[in-house]
Structures are given as structure tokens and as C-alpha cells.
Amino acid sequence: MTDDVRVAALRSAVAELMTQAKTDLAQLVSFKSVADPRQFPPEECDAAAQWVADAFAAAGLTTVGLHETPDGTKAVVASRPAPEGAPTVLLYCHYDVQPPMDEAAWRTPPWELTERDGRWYGRGSADCKGNIVMHLTALRALGADLPVGVIVVAEGSEEQSTGGLERFVEAEPELLRADAIVVGDCGNFAAGVPTLTQTLRGGVNVVVTVETLAGPLHSGMFGGPAPDALAALIHLLASLRDERGNTTIDGLPNDQVWPGVQYPSEQFHADARVLRDVELVGDGTVADLLWARPALTVLGIDAPPVVGSAAAIPAIARARLNLRIPPGTDPDQAHRALVAHLEAHTPWRARLTVELEGAGAPFRSPTGGPARAAMEAALAASYGRPATTQGQGGSIPLCNVFATTYPDAEIMLLGVEEPKALIHAPNESVDPKEIEHMALAEAIFLATYAG
């Protein structure tokens, strides 16, 4: 069979499977698989894991099991051995999702897949249940014609960052050993633009506590000379960005340049849903700021709420900070720089405590290997245009574990997500054409990589 005939046959097979893909995704979205027992019952994650295991068994993988990871969640591992002399490909995804956040902000029910304006809406429809369906559809299209070994691993705690699968890989390295690893938890620069994610930013999360008084004081009797803990915290947080919005942490470079594909500011303004007339922040291009430089975000503040607040000077205030760091920056060094900066800029000799919640290293995907070449060709064949590359501002700590545990494996990041998917936000959705094109690309890759 020639390559053109094979691609045409797979294209037809994937197109015929899209009705099944929608049914699959509807079933997956219906599971409220948030891996946080404080919000949702663990049975929802257990049911999602079992569904995934059963689906990949039905898709032709011959060894399927549920494995408990060190954080108490279940990882689905399904595999089919490679023919003699053929390589093995690991396909990664996760079945847990973010909570829906403000359900009142959803235009459709978050746990019910709903088609609207050509997109499929629901929590997890893109991140990452859409990628599960991508893997399933690719394997179904190939059927018994699978010239490589395949291992599928679907974890259940990625969104909670509890590290269950990372520690599982370290403890059971042979179970997932492969020649090529496809991390299905990313997406395209834009719908219809085939994209491999080249870099991931790492992250450092800390909780900062500022204390100034033994307890709250009447603002009329003591306001003025009494040090206000919330005002001190505001002053401290303001030191982390300059007037243009650039992240300014002493000792941490913030002038790096992104050498690859650029992100037009007008497109980013629309993709990020920035309010009209509100300016983007920072000096440099959007790509520089998003993929090549550190970025500090204040994730939350503990302070008296407006409703119910009293005329009192706060004695204590806290903030949770997230520092994203680009490839080339060591997370330990970034953590030390952040702490030193906070200590140096705390006003009025206020008492400062900085608690490290977690840190993850940045990641850069290797290029130039046979798997990468086969995937680039497969993406081009599926979309009818050459693949491009981008960075991603988020972190996937598992990629670094894969790189350390399997140093000879080629790791590639891709998926059905794109800016309009609004992952982690209300009204998450997926473009079904992205599922179709990415499933076809993966099927072509699996069919051609061994050759």
C-alpha cells in the first residue's frame, strides 16, 4: 500500500468514527472526575478510570489494568506489544479535570456535552478528555493494522498536581518504557494550524504571610502610625512588577527573546478575552513574555472580605504566588531569588513568612529524531500544511520525569486544545475538527513510524 493510499484510507476511517468520538466524549464529560474529595466524590474518578480502561481494551489493546498511584488515584495502563524489531510508542493523557468554577458563568451544562456553533462544550471536552478520544479514535482507525507497540497511560490527578503518576513512573519504570512518547495534553497554536509544543515553563508556588500586629485594631483610634498588614502586602506584591507590567524579581533575568513562531498581539488580545481598551502588559513580544520570560501571578489573597469587613486595621494578610519560569532557569535558583526579593522588599520590617508549596523544572522537547520526523510528516498530511512549533506557558512536570527515566525516548507534545478551547475556564469547548485532524495525524504516525 502506498503512503497516499494509506493516508486516504485512514482519513476515511477517522471521518466515519467521528460519531463514535462524540458519543465517547459525551460519556467522558458526564463523569465529574475532579480529583479533589473535598469537592467531588472519588467514585466519579473511579468510574472515569474504568470507562477509559474498558474503552482501550475494546479498541484492541490486549493488556489493560488499573494501578493505584502514590497519591491514591488510579492510572489506567493499557498496552499491546510491538512486533519483532518494531518500536513502542507511549500515548499519555489524563481523565481528571478542573472543577467547573462558576457554574453560573457556563452557557451550557458543564457535565453534559453540548454542541453549539460547531463546537462541543463541557468540562474536560478539550483538557484532557478530548485527547483521550483522540487516542481512541486513532487506534480504532488502525484496528489490527498496528505495526508498532503501543502503551496508553491515563492518569487521574494531573490537574491537582499531586505527583501520583510521576512517582509511579519512577517506581515502575519498565511498565511504561517506550521509544517515543506522545504527550496528549497540549494543542495547536490556532485551530487548523498543526503545532508541536517545543517548550514548557516550569513553576514555583509559594504562600506569603505578612504580620504586623498582635491583632486587628480600630482604624479610627490607631490608623496612621499602626502598620497595616494588608497595605504592607500590597506594597510587597507591587514590587514584583514594574509600571509596564514586566515581572521584576531581583536576580532573575526578564529580557529573554523567543526565537520561534510569533503570537500577534491582536490575536492574543482576543484569545485571552482581554477587555476592550485594556492594554497588554510588558515590554517585548507576546511570545517573549509568554514562552521565554518569567511571569509572576498573584493567585489569591487572604484578607478581610468587603462584605462583612469592619473599620479595623488588618494584623495579618496572605497571598499565594505562582512564578512561571522558562527553559534555562533552574527552579531552585528561581525560588531563592523570589524569597530574597520578598525579604528585601518587605516594608516597615513587617514579619514575613514564605512557604514553598512546590516547584517544577521547565522542559524542552528534543528535535531531529525519527519519531519527530514521522510526526511532523503525519501532521502535515492530516492538515495539508506544514507543522509549526510553539512554547507553552504552563507546566507538565511529568515530562521531566519521562525525560529522566527514559533518556533515549523522543518526547512530543500535542493535542486537541487551542486558544478558543478556554481550558480551566467556564465554557470549555473543543473544535471537533481538531479531534478529527489530530486523531488522523496520530494514526498516520503510528502507521508510518516503524518504517
Side-chain angles (χ1 to χ4, degrees):
M1 183 185 297
T2 66
D3 286 347
D4 288 345
V5 171
R6 175 183 289 160
V7 169
L10 288 173
R11 190 182 302 276
S12 177
V14 169
E16 291 177 3
L17 286 164
M18 285 306 294
T19 299
Q20 179 64 50
K22 186 177 183 181
T23 300
D24 292 340
L25 191 56
Q27 292 174 331
L28 278 167
V29 166
S30 71
F31 297 115
K32 300 175 182 178
S33 50
V34 177
D36 184 348
R38 298 170 300 179
Q39 302 182 71
F40 294 89
E43 291 79 12
E44 291 285 336
C45 283
D46 292 344
Q50 189 62 59
W51 188 97
V52 172
D54 293 343
F56 281 106
L61 300 188
T62 54
T63 302
V64 180
L66 296 176
H67 300 259
E68 186 164 331
T69 62
D71 64 356
T73 60
K74 293 181 174 65
V76 180
V77 180
S79 63
R80 178 171 160 178
E84 184 68 28
T88 295
V89 177
L90 175 66
L91 305 177
Y92 165 84
C93 50
H94 64 86
Y95 60 82
D96 68 305
V97 297
Q98 287 282 338
M101 299 172 63
D102 181 8
E103 294 200 31
W106 283 78
R107 296 188 295 270
T108 63
W111 305 113
E112 180 181 327
L113 192 71
T114 306
E115 185 168 356
R116 180 172 176 172
D117 299 327
R119 298 183 69 91
W120 297 345
Y121 285 80
R123 173 55 89 220
S125 56
D127 181 22
C128 177
K129 293 173 177 178
N131 290 311
I132 295 175
V133 173
M134 172 187 75
H135 292 326
L136 270 173
T137 304
L139 291 172
R140 285 179 176 146
L142 288 162
D145 184 19
L146 195 58
V148 296
V150 169
I151 305 169
V152 172
V153 59
E155 70 168 309
S157 58
E158 193 276 341
E159 298 292 6
Q160 296 299 317
S161 301
T162 50
L165 189 61
E166 288 96 305
R167 285 176 281 161
F168 180 77
V169 170
E170 292 168 341
E172 302 281 351
E174 294 308 313
L175 192 61
L176 302 180
R177 188 173 297 279
D179 301 283
I181 299 173
V182 178
V183 177
D185 194 17
C186 292
N188 290 336
F189 177 70
V193 180
T195 309
L196 287 159
T197 295
Q198 196 66 41
T199 63
L200 299 169
R201 287 195 292 200
V204 176
N205 270 30
V206 299
V207 174
V208 176
T209 303
V210 175
E211 299 175 88
T212 56
L213 303 167
L217 295 172
H218 191 290
S219 61
M221 295 179 64
F222 295 97
D228 179 329
L230 181 55
L233 178 64
I234 292 169
H235 183 98
L236 177 59
L237 298 180
S239 73
L240 296 166
R241 286 182 180 262
D242 65 17
E243 67 279 1
R244 290 283 303 127
N246 297 292
T247 294
T248 51
I249 296 171
D250 299 340
L252 204 60
N254 68 345
D255 58 356
Q256 301 94 318
V257 175
W258 177 256
V261 64
Q262 293 300 303
Y263 201 151
S265 58
E266 298 81 6
Q267 181 180 342
F268 181 83
H269 203 284
D271 289 344
R273 298 184 298 163
V274 179
L275 299 181
R276 177 196 260 176
D277 298 329
V278 176
E279 298 179 348
L280 301 184
V281 302
D283 299 315
T285 69
V286 169
D288 294 340
L289 295 159
L290 193 60
W291 301 326
R293 298 181 185 176
L296 191 288
T297 302
V298 180
L299 299 180
I301 293 179
D302 287 342
V306 172
V307 177
S309 58
I313 303 167
I316 183 172
R318 304 169 76 229
R320 186 173 183 230
L321 309 183
N322 170 240
L323 174 62
R324 299 285 183 169
I325 52 175
T329 301
D330 178 76
D332 292 334
Q333 186 268 329
H335 173 236
R336 290 193 297 270
L338 177 59
V339 172
H341 177 102
L342 293 168
E343 290 173 343
H345 291 268
T346 300
W348 318 322
R349 298 181 65 185
R351 184 179 299 171
L352 174 73
T353 305
V354 182
E355 175 191 355
L356 176 66
E357 282 192 319
F363 175 79
R364 185 182 299 277
S365 179
T367 60
R372 176 65 175 256
M375 183 62 81
E376 289 176 349
L379 287 165
S382 177
Y383 280 88
R385 59 184 294 176
T388 188
T389 59
Q390 66 176 355
Q392 181 171 294
S395 306
I396 306 178
L398 180 64
C399 288
N400 295 292
V401 175
F402 279 153
T404 300
T405 308
Y406 312 117
D408 296 327
E410 294 184 64
I411 303 173
M412 299 172 288
L413 291 78
L414 47 75
V416 303
E417 303 160 24
E418 37 81 28
K420 291 183 180 179
L422 299 180
I423 64 172
H424 293 203
N427 303 302
E428 179 181 353
S429 68
V430 67
D431 184 337
K433 284 294 183 184
E434 290 296 277
I435 294 179
E436 184 173 357
H437 279 114
M438 291 305 301
L440 175 58
E442 187 164 277
I444 295 170
F445 166 72
L446 293 172
T448 58
Y449 168 42

